[in-house]
Every structure is written in C-alpha cells, then in structure tokens.
Amino acid sequence: MTTKRGTPGKVSVMYDGYYGYQSPSYLSSLVNAPNYMRLYNEALVNDNKPTIFPDSVIANTESGVDPIKYPDTDWQDVIVSKYSPITSHSLSVSGGNNVARFAFTGNYLYQDGMIPVTWSKRLNLRANTSITLSKNFLVNLDMATIRLQRREPGRPSGSGGNRMLEDVFRVPPTILPKYPDKNGSEIYGQYVDIVNPLAYAEKGGYRQWLSDMASINIQPKWELFPGFNLKGQFSYRVNSDVVNERRDNFNFFDYYTEKLTRTWSVSRVNTPSRSSYYFLAGNADYTFTRNNHYFYAMAGYSMEQTNAEGWDVFSMVSGYAKLNYSYDDKYLLEATVRADGSSRFGPGNKFGYFPSAAVGWNVHKEAFLADSRVINNLKLRASYGLLGNENIGYYKYQTLINATTGLEEINGNANISWETVNMLDIGFDLGLFPGNRLELTFDYYNKITNDLIITPPISYVAGLAKVPVNAGKVKNNGWELAINYTEKLGKDLSLTLRPGVWYNKNEIHGTGGWPLCYRFYEQHVQLRTKSRLQHQRHLRL
C-alpha cells in the first residue's frame, strides 16, 4: 500500500461528498391491538383459563372510539425510523515542489441511527509530507488524527443493558406510549414490569463513547552510495477514550390512580481510559547485482513500548538480520535470524533467538523446460525456522501482593520463558498451459510448539496457588492442495474455479510431567498459537 503524497509543481484540490437516507431493509409484520387481544383470549381458552379482554374492549379498540383508553400501538412505527440521514464530506489538498511535497485530507461522517438517541460521528484528518534534504536524503513525515463519537440509549441500572429493540416486541400494542400531561407530569404507559421503549428513548438517558487517536510517523532514508541505504522510523500513537453515561431523575405514575409506580434515579458515570505506543527502529540494507548473481542483505534494531491504563507497561527490543541470494533467478536462498527481548519475562529469560532458512528452485527457467508448452511455472521450495510467542499477558514471572491485606495474591514463576514454534514447510507451485490456466499449490507442513505456558492444577494439600509453567508440547502436521482454474468463455467473460483440499493432524506429545486433560491443552493451543498459514507466509520465499 502506497501513501498518497503531493506532485511537485502542481496543487490539487478535491472535494467529495454525499447526503442520503438509510431505511430498514426488513421489518416484521406485527398484529394490531384487536387481533392481539383475540389471539390472547384464544390462547387462554386453549389453556382452560378465563379470557381477560372483553368483546366490548376489542370492539372499542377496533372502532378507535377512544385512542387513550383503547390504544392500538404499532411499536415499530413509534421507535424505528424509516428514514435515517447519513452524510459524508471529504476534502483533499496536495502539491509541493522538488524539495517538499504534501497531501492533506480530511473527512467528516455523520450517521443517524434507526432507533432513538442513536447516532455516530467520525472526523479524520491526515497530513503526509515528503522532504528532500539532499539528492540522496529523504524524510517522510505522516500525521493522523481520528475522533469518533457514538451514542446509544441508556437503560436503568440492573436492567441488562440496551434492549430497546427487544422491547418493541415485548410490549403489546394495547399499551399507550405516552398519555397527555397530567398535573404538569409526563406519564408513560407500562406493561407489567416493563416500561415502554418510548420512555427509555425520552427519559432513559444515554451512553456515549468518545475516542480520540493521534499518531505521528517519521521515516528518514539515506542512500550513502548506490545500493546501500540507511533507514529509520519513529512512530508514536496515543489513544484516549471515555464513556459517559447520563440519566436524569424521573418518576413514573399511573395515569388513572396517580400513584407512584417506579423511580429512575439520576446517573452520572464517567469512565476514562488511555493508552500509548511508540516504536523506534533503524536498519541498513545493501543490494548487489553482478552478472547472474543477486545479493540482498539487511540488518536492524528496533524497540517498542505499549502503555495501557498507566500500570500495564510492555516493552520489547529486537535485533534482526536477513540475507537473500539468487542465481539467474533460478536458485533462491534466504536466511534470517532475530533476537527478541520482552519485558513479559523475568531476568535471564527475556531474550529468545529465532533463526530460519528457506530455499527455492524455479525449475521452469531451466533449459530443459524452456520450450515446454505445458509447464509455464514450476517452483520447488522448502523452509525451516523458529518463531517465538511472548503474548502471554503481564507479570506472570512476578508474585503479586494484595495492596490491602499484604498477602500474596498471585504466584508468579521467575523461570517463565518464550513459547517456541519449530516450523517445516515443503511445497511447490505449478502453472500449466498458456496463461497459467491451471495453477496448483501444494504444501506439507510439520509444526511443533514447545514450552507452551500453562497453569496446571496443584494438589490441595500443598496449600499453594496455581503457578504458570512452560510445560506443553503440541504437534501439528498435514498438507494442503489448492487448485485454481481459469477459462475464457468470451471477450469479456471468464470462468474461475478454486477447489482445495487439506488435511491436519493435531497431537499432544508431552506435558512436562504435569497431569492435564486433553481439552485443557486443546483450548490453550487455540488461544496461544498463531495459525499455520501465518508462519508459512513468514518463512516462504
């Protein structure tokens, strides 16, 4: 993905906007009040119970003689908006000269909800700048900010959250949404213990989310001499979020008896949160080509830190190197190594070392296949490498003490270390017939995950809490075959088929002496290990 930047000597201004309405694509058909009462009576008769709606009430409701006393309410019509506006406006300005180029974009989006109180707003601002300090020295500076606001109806405390749409189907059509004001009081219809959804819309308050994000990204690049580059990157991002809940005090009365039926107390809740992230990296790369030989070498260092809610701080430093070699674009070799240090582990266990290597052979470029009319592409490849997982949560190597009681509350394990994945992948890519009409991709993989972090049960007689340990070992192996067939049926018409078949076997090979059930391991593997395809893409040439 390429970030848009200005064109030297040209200033461009562009506006794009629209305004429209959104409508529900489907609404249920609800019975009216007379039919509801007839069906309700029929259900009571079938249950050998007396009816509760007299024929006179049904008749008066059907005739509409007194809409207050005999209401007929379509709750979907009262609550669900048939036309909810949506609008978007975007403005972009770009330009510059041979020294500096810029591109500024802004977008505002407003979307009204289809139920009362609900809406969302979003404002995006982005500025991308490129500055040429010298012939071989370029600096890219990108800044962005996003403000997102979203509001939804509130519900009284303890009612299970926002259920306004559910109430549309829970409250019968025989309930009046709102009575005429009486003695200066607003009075809403009620059904048993359920307040009607219009009352929630007008008196239930709201819950509103406000999210702000700002980021800056600086990337200098210096070409010291042809083929040799020094690159750097500094990124900083801060997120600030707050959730506001507001409801005013309101008393509900019965319209006819004027008795107090319930009270919604005032509510003012503010829940802020904040997180930040920074990334600093530098690397050098060199590209060398001579005759049929191609070399690419790269080495670098990075550090990053995430701070969430003030106390949860996570840092990682990494050193890495990579070498690519190819001869005549036929024989391919890649070797990588990285060392990662994570603050999630204790002293002596913070660093993990993860080498990998891959080879490839473009067989279709050999002389014996140069004139083949069947094989257009044939690549054999194999890779093997180690990967590490440190996404285990915070402070598992520390024993934590309750600040109030002074007692040890969570037992840590100072020897906790990296989970490691050993991954072998062997496969081929085959393209047949002109235009690669038939393509086949095959992979055999064998992945062994060692030192899975688990929390095994401890005998009750020990009197100790559970402690996390590196004690799991899981093996996954199998194969995948993907087929892609394309056939042109005409000038502007083609047919593509993509069938595939795969096989995977999952085994628990070791528990490190800890008595754990298979299901516990299976759940842990699903949570802790990344997908095989992610590792495959990382290692594949």
Side-chain angles (χ1 to χ4, degrees):
M1 182 177 181
T2 303
T3 302
K4 291 184 178 180
R5 302 183 187 275
T7 302
K10 180 181 178 181
V11 176
S12 175
V13 180
M14 182 179 296
Y15 168 80
D16 178 61
Y18 65 84
Y19 183 89
Y21 288 93
Q22 300 173 106
S23 298
S25 58
Y26 173 79
L27 291 175
S28 301
S29 297
L30 304 180
V31 297
N32 58 20
N35 286 331
Y36 170 82
M37 289 186 282
R38 293 188 184 101
L39 291 171
Y40 201 102
N41 282 342
E42 183 178 342
L44 292 173
V45 170
N46 292 336
D47 198 27
N48 295 319
K49 295 179 180 179
T51 61
I52 61 173
F53 295 110
D55 291 339
S56 60
V57 173
I58 297 176
N60 289 335
T61 303
E62 199 159 32
S63 65
V65 62
D66 187 348
I68 303 275
K69 189 175 182 180
Y70 306 106
D72 184 2
T73 304
D74 184 339
W75 285 108
Q76 286 186 150
D77 189 59
V78 172
I79 296 300
V80 181
S81 174
K82 305 302 187 298
Y83 302 98
S84 301
I86 179 173
T87 184
S88 175
H89 303 276
S90 299
L91 179 67
S92 63
V93 181
S94 61
N97 51 38
N98 291 329
V99 175
R101 281 81 59 202
F102 69 90
F104 173 82
T105 59
N107 172 259
Y108 172 77
L109 173 68
Y110 174 80
Q111 184 175 7
D112 203 11
M114 295 185 188
I115 61 174
V117 190
T118 306
W119 52 259
S120 65
K121 301 176 184 178
R122 187 187 67 206
L123 176 64
N124 295 359
L125 297 175
R126 177 179 292 275
N128 303 322
T129 305
S130 295
I131 303 174
T132 302
L133 300 179
S134 67
K135 182 180 178 180
N136 300 320
F137 197 174
L138 175 70
V139 178
N140 291 327
L141 172 60
D142 302 329
M143 293 179 288
T145 181
I146 301 174
R147 163 160 283 203
L148 177 63
Q149 293 176 274
R150 180 169 60 90
R151 180 180 287 190
E152 69 176 28
R155 286 289 298 254
S157 194
S159 62
N162 178 26
R163 295 167 56 184
M164 185 174 290
L165 281 177
E166 181 181 337
D167 289 341
V168 167
F169 301 98
R170 296 172 71 205
V171 181
T174 56
I175 302 301
L176 189 69
K178 189 174 184 179
Y179 290 93
D181 289 0
K182 196 171 187 180
N183 298 326
S185 298
E186 296 178 274
I187 302 178
Y188 294 88
Q190 301 181 62
Y191 173 67
V192 293
D193 63 337
I194 304 172
V195 176
N196 78 67
L198 182 64
Y200 284 121
E202 296 183 352
K203 302 300 178 182
Y206 61 82
R207 186 179 295 112
Q208 182 169 311
W209 288 260
L210 173 61
S211 299
D212 289 312
M213 187 280 290
S215 66
I216 184 171
N217 185 44
I218 303 174
Q219 292 180 291
K221 179 181 178 181
W222 184 17
E223 185 181 19
L224 271 72
F225 53 84
F228 185 81
N229 300 294
L230 292 178
K231 299 178 183 178
Q233 181 178 358
F234 172 76
S235 299
Y236 180 74
R237 182 182 69 245
V238 60
N239 295 81
S240 179
D241 304 290
V242 63
V243 181
N244 287 315
E245 298 181 41
R246 179 188 179 101
R247 185 180 66 250
D248 294 328
N249 183 83
F250 189 78
N251 296 318
F252 288 87
F253 295 93
D254 183 275
Y255 181 74
Y256 297 101
T257 66
E258 300 185 8
K259 290 182 178 180
L260 180 68
T261 57
R262 73 181 69 202
T263 296
W264 285 352
S265 59
V266 65
S267 175
R268 299 289 189 271
V269 179
N270 181 278
T271 308
S273 65
R274 184 183 181 278
S275 64
S276 62
Y277 169 82
Y278 85 81
F279 176 83
L280 180 65
N283 66 73
D285 65 77
Y286 179 63
T287 303
F288 175 78
T289 303
R290 174 169 292 181
N291 298 327
N292 293 326
H293 299 276
Y294 169 84
F295 290 91
Y296 173 80
M298 184 268 288
Y301 175 84
S302 68
M303 60 176 62
E304 58 186 306
Q305 185 178 90
T306 301
N307 188 316
E309 305 301 338
W311 293 105
D312 294 336
V313 181
F314 155 60
S315 302
M316 190 163 77
V317 296
S318 301
Y320 45 87
K322 178 180 180 180
L323 174 66
N324 284 83
Y325 169 76
S326 71
Y327 175 75
D328 200 22
D329 201 26
K330 295 179 184 178
Y331 314 111
L332 313 173
L333 172 66
E334 177 179 297
T336 64
V337 62
R338 63 180 299 126
D340 296 308
S342 172
S343 64
R344 298 180 190 267
F345 304 108
N349 297 298
K350 292 186 180 297
F351 280 88
Y353 303 92
F354 310 103
S356 65
V359 294
W361 179 22
N362 285 321
V363 185
H364 63 283
K365 293 192 175 183
E366 298 289 353
F368 58 83
L369 285 179
D371 299 325
S372 175
R373 297 183 178 181
V374 178
I375 299 177
N376 284 334
N377 176 60
L378 176 58
K379 182 178 183 179
L380 305 179
R381 47 186 168 71
S383 64
Y384 180 80
L386 275 66
L387 295 170
N389 176 41
E390 45 75 48
N391 189 23
I392 63 170
Y394 297 101
Y395 318 124
K396 289 189 179 295
Y397 71 94
Q398 294 178 320
T399 296
L400 304 182
I401 297 175
N402 187 297
T404 303
T405 64
L407 300 176
E408 291 185 356
E409 193 171 57
I410 298 176
N411 286 344
N413 179 1
N415 295 319
I416 283 288
S417 61
W418 289 76
E419 298 177 343
T420 58
V421 178
N422 298 263
M423 181 71 184
L424 170 69
D425 186 277
I426 301 173
F428 68 82
D429 303 310
L430 177 62
L432 302 175
F433 309 118
N436 288 329
R437 284 187 301 164
L438 179 62
E439 296 178 294
L440 294 90
T441 300
F442 176 82
D443 284 282
Y444 166 79
Y445 60 89
N446 185 29
K447 183 177 76 171
I448 299 177
T449 304
N450 294 307
D451 299 324
L452 281 171
I453 297 177
I454 56 179
T455 307
I458 295 178
S459 173
Y460 292 113
V461 299
L464 299 174
K466 298 177 182 179
V467 179
V469 293
N470 293 97
K473 182 178 181 180
V474 176
K475 180 178 179 181
N476 282 274
N477 60 23
W479 51 266
E480 285 185 352
L481 176 63
I483 303 172
N484 185 28
Y485 177 75
T486 303
E487 183 69 42
K488 294 198 70 174
L489 303 178
K491 182 179 179 180
D492 300 316
L493 182 64
S494 63
L495 173 67
T496 300
L497 300 175
R498 292 190 177 93
V501 61
W502 60 272
Y503 168 81
N504 178 73
K505 184 179 181 181
N506 177 275
E507 299 178 63
I508 306 301
H509 271 242
T511 63
W514 297 94
L516 297 173
C517 67
Y518 179 85
R519 178 175 295 180
F520 181 87
Y521 270 116
E522 186 177 46
Q523 293 172 347
H524 185 79
V525 170
Q526 292 173 353
L527 291 173
R528 291 294 189 205
T529 61
K530 300 178 181 178
S531 69
R532 186 199 63 77
L533 291 176
Q534 288 178 311
H535 295 299
Q536 179 177 310
R537 282 195 292 268
H538 178 79
L539 295 173
R540 182 182 295 180
L541 284 169

Short mmCIF file of all heavy atoms in Angstrom, two decimals, residues 147-150 207-212 239-245 269-274 309:
data_model
loop_
_atom_site.label_atom_id
_atom_site.label_comp_id
_atom_site.label_asym_id
_atom_site.label_seq_id
_atom_site.Cartn_x
_atom_site.Cartn_y
_atom_site.Cartn_z
N ARG A 147 -11.25 11.32 15.47
CA ARG A 147 -12.18 11.47 16.59
C ARG A 147 -13.46 10.73 16.24
O ARG A 147 -14.07 10.97 15.19
CB ARG A 147 -12.49 12.93 16.88
CG ARG A 147 -13.74 13.13 17.73
CD ARG A 147 -13.80 14.46 18.41
NE ARG A 147 -12.91 14.49 19.58
CZ ARG A 147 -13.08 15.32 20.60
NH1 ARG A 147 -14.08 16.19 20.62
NH2 ARG A 147 -12.26 15.31 21.63
N LEU A 148 -13.86 9.83 17.10
CA LEU A 148 -15.06 9.03 16.89
C LEU A 148 -15.99 9.21 18.08
O LEU A 148 -15.59 9.02 19.23
CB LEU A 148 -14.70 7.55 16.73
CG LEU A 148 -15.86 6.57 16.57
CD1 LEU A 148 -16.64 6.86 15.29
CD2 LEU A 148 -15.36 5.13 16.57
N GLN A 149 -17.23 9.57 17.81
CA GLN A 149 -18.26 9.69 18.83
C GLN A 149 -19.43 8.79 18.47
O GLN A 149 -19.84 8.73 17.30
CB GLN A 149 -18.75 11.13 18.94
CG GLN A 149 -17.71 12.11 19.47
CD GLN A 149 -18.22 13.53 19.47
OE1 GLN A 149 -18.14 14.23 18.47
NE2 GLN A 149 -18.76 13.95 20.60
N ARG A 150 -19.95 8.13 19.48
CA ARG A 150 -21.08 7.22 19.26
C ARG A 150 -22.00 7.28 20.47
O ARG A 150 -21.52 7.27 21.61
CB ARG A 150 -20.57 5.80 19.03
CG ARG A 150 -21.65 4.77 18.78
CD ARG A 150 -21.04 3.48 18.30
NE ARG A 150 -20.10 2.91 19.24
CZ ARG A 150 -20.43 2.06 20.20
NH1 ARG A 150 -21.69 1.68 20.35
NH2 ARG A 150 -19.51 1.56 21.02
N ARG A 207 -25.83 6.52 26.68
CA ARG A 207 -24.46 6.07 26.90
C ARG A 207 -23.65 6.53 25.68
O ARG A 207 -24.00 6.19 24.55
CB ARG A 207 -24.41 4.55 27.05
CG ARG A 207 -23.03 4.00 27.42
CD ARG A 207 -23.07 2.50 27.57
NE ARG A 207 -23.92 2.10 28.70
CZ ARG A 207 -25.07 1.48 28.56
NH1 ARG A 207 -25.55 1.20 27.36
NH2 ARG A 207 -25.78 1.15 29.62
N GLN A 208 -22.58 7.28 25.90
CA GLN A 208 -21.85 7.88 24.79
C GLN A 208 -20.37 7.57 24.88
O GLN A 208 -19.76 7.68 25.94
CB GLN A 208 -22.06 9.40 24.78
CG GLN A 208 -21.36 10.11 23.62
CD GLN A 208 -21.80 11.55 23.50
OE1 GLN A 208 -22.99 11.85 23.50
NE2 GLN A 208 -20.85 12.46 23.39
N TRP A 209 -19.81 7.16 23.74
CA TRP A 209 -18.39 6.85 23.62
C TRP A 209 -17.68 7.99 22.87
O TRP A 209 -18.16 8.45 21.84
CB TRP A 209 -18.16 5.55 22.86
CG TRP A 209 -18.54 4.33 23.62
CD1 TRP A 209 -17.70 3.49 24.28
CD2 TRP A 209 -19.85 3.78 23.77
NE1 TRP A 209 -18.40 2.45 24.85
CE2 TRP A 209 -19.73 2.60 24.54
CE3 TRP A 209 -21.11 4.16 23.32
CZ2 TRP A 209 -20.83 1.82 24.88
CZ3 TRP A 209 -22.20 3.39 23.66
CH2 TRP A 209 -22.06 2.23 24.42
N LEU A 210 -16.54 8.39 23.38
CA LEU A 210 -15.71 9.39 22.71
C LEU A 210 -14.29 8.83 22.63
O LEU A 210 -13.67 8.55 23.66
CB LEU A 210 -15.72 10.71 23.47
CG LEU A 210 -14.75 11.79 22.96
CD1 LEU A 210 -15.08 12.18 21.54
CD2 LEU A 210 -14.77 13.01 23.88
N SER A 211 -13.81 8.64 21.42
CA SER A 211 -12.47 8.08 21.21
C SER A 211 -11.65 9.04 20.37
O SER A 211 -12.10 9.49 19.31
CB SER A 211 -12.57 6.72 20.50
OG SER A 211 -13.30 5.78 21.26
N ASP A 212 -10.45 9.33 20.85
CA ASP A 212 -9.51 10.18 20.12
C ASP A 212 -8.22 9.40 19.89
O ASP A 212 -7.70 8.74 20.81
CB ASP A 212 -9.18 11.45 20.91
CG ASP A 212 -10.36 12.41 20.96
OD1 ASP A 212 -10.94 12.68 19.89
OD2 ASP A 212 -10.70 12.89 22.05
N ASN A 239 -3.99 6.92 22.32
CA ASN A 239 -5.44 6.72 22.28
C ASN A 239 -6.03 7.19 23.59
O ASN A 239 -5.55 6.83 24.67
CB ASN A 239 -5.79 5.25 22.07
CG ASN A 239 -5.35 4.74 20.71
OD1 ASN A 239 -4.19 4.40 20.52
ND2 ASN A 239 -6.27 4.68 19.78
N SER A 240 -7.08 7.98 23.49
CA SER A 240 -7.79 8.46 24.68
C SER A 240 -9.27 8.17 24.49
O SER A 240 -9.87 8.58 23.50
CB SER A 240 -7.56 9.96 24.87
OG SER A 240 -8.28 10.43 26.00
N ASP A 241 -9.84 7.43 25.41
CA ASP A 241 -11.23 7.03 25.31
C ASP A 241 -11.96 7.37 26.61
O ASP A 241 -11.39 7.31 27.70
CB ASP A 241 -11.35 5.52 25.06
CG ASP A 241 -10.59 5.08 23.82
OD1 ASP A 241 -11.04 5.42 22.73
OD2 ASP A 241 -9.55 4.42 23.98
N VAL A 242 -13.23 7.69 26.46
CA VAL A 242 -14.05 7.95 27.63
C VAL A 242 -15.48 7.52 27.33
O VAL A 242 -15.97 7.68 26.20
CB VAL A 242 -14.02 9.45 28.03
CG1 VAL A 242 -14.60 10.32 26.94
CG2 VAL A 242 -14.75 9.68 29.35
N VAL A 243 -16.12 6.91 28.30
CA VAL A 243 -17.52 6.51 28.19
C VAL A 243 -18.31 7.30 29.22
O VAL A 243 -18.01 7.26 30.42
CB VAL A 243 -17.70 5.00 28.44
CG1 VAL A 243 -19.16 4.62 28.27
CG2 VAL A 243 -16.84 4.19 27.48
N ASN A 244 -19.31 8.05 28.73
CA ASN A 244 -20.17 8.83 29.61
C ASN A 244 -21.57 8.22 29.64
O ASN A 244 -22.13 7.90 28.58
CB ASN A 244 -20.28 10.28 29.11
CG ASN A 244 -19.01 11.05 29.38
OD1 ASN A 244 -18.46 10.97 30.46
ND2 ASN A 244 -18.54 11.78 28.38
N GLU A 245 -22.11 8.05 30.83
CA GLU A 245 -23.49 7.60 30.99
C GLU A 245 -24.25 8.67 31.77
O GLU A 245 -23.81 9.09 32.83
CB GLU A 245 -23.53 6.26 31.73
CG GLU A 245 -22.81 5.13 30.99
CD GLU A 245 -22.89 3.81 31.72
OE1 GLU A 245 -23.98 3.51 32.27
OE2 GLU A 245 -21.88 3.10 31.77
N VAL A 269 -22.02 8.82 35.16
CA VAL A 269 -20.88 7.92 35.21
C VAL A 269 -19.90 8.32 34.11
O VAL A 269 -20.29 8.53 32.95
CB VAL A 269 -21.31 6.45 35.00
CG1 VAL A 269 -20.09 5.53 35.03
CG2 VAL A 269 -22.31 6.04 36.08
N ASN A 270 -18.64 8.42 34.47
CA ASN A 270 -17.59 8.77 33.52
C ASN A 270 -16.47 7.75 33.66
O ASN A 270 -15.89 7.58 34.75
CB ASN A 270 -17.07 10.19 33.80
CG ASN A 270 -15.99 10.60 32.83
OD1 ASN A 270 -14.83 10.26 33.01
ND2 ASN A 270 -16.36 11.36 31.81
N THR A 271 -16.14 7.05 32.57
CA THR A 271 -15.12 6.01 32.60
C THR A 271 -14.05 6.32 31.56
O THR A 271 -14.22 6.03 30.37
CB THR A 271 -15.72 4.63 32.32
OG1 THR A 271 -16.84 4.40 33.19
CG2 THR A 271 -14.69 3.53 32.53
N PRO A 272 -12.94 6.93 31.97
CA PRO A 272 -11.88 7.25 31.01
C PRO A 272 -10.86 6.11 30.89
O PRO A 272 -10.70 5.29 31.80
CB PRO A 272 -11.23 8.50 31.62
CG PRO A 272 -11.41 8.30 33.10
CD PRO A 272 -12.70 7.53 33.29
N SER A 273 -10.16 6.08 29.78
CA SER A 273 -9.05 5.15 29.59
C SER A 273 -8.07 5.77 28.61
O SER A 273 -8.44 6.59 27.77
CB SER A 273 -9.54 3.79 29.08
OG SER A 273 -10.11 3.91 27.79
N ARG A 274 -6.81 5.35 28.72
CA ARG A 274 -5.78 5.93 27.88
C ARG A 274 -4.71 4.89 27.60
O ARG A 274 -4.36 4.08 28.47
CB ARG A 274 -5.14 7.15 28.56
CG ARG A 274 -4.11 7.88 27.71
CD ARG A 274 -3.49 9.03 28.48
NE ARG A 274 -2.52 9.77 27.70
CZ ARG A 274 -1.25 9.42 27.52
NH1 ARG A 274 -0.80 8.30 28.09
NH2 ARG A 274 -0.43 10.16 26.78
N GLU A 309 -3.48 2.11 30.49
CA GLU A 309 -4.08 2.39 31.80
C GLU A 309 -3.06 2.73 32.88
O GLU A 309 -3.31 2.54 34.06
CB GLU A 309 -4.92 1.18 32.26
CG GLU A 309 -5.98 0.73 31.27
CD GLU A 309 -6.99 1.83 30.95
OE1 GLU A 309 -7.14 2.75 31.77
OE2 GLU A 309 -7.60 1.77 29.88
#
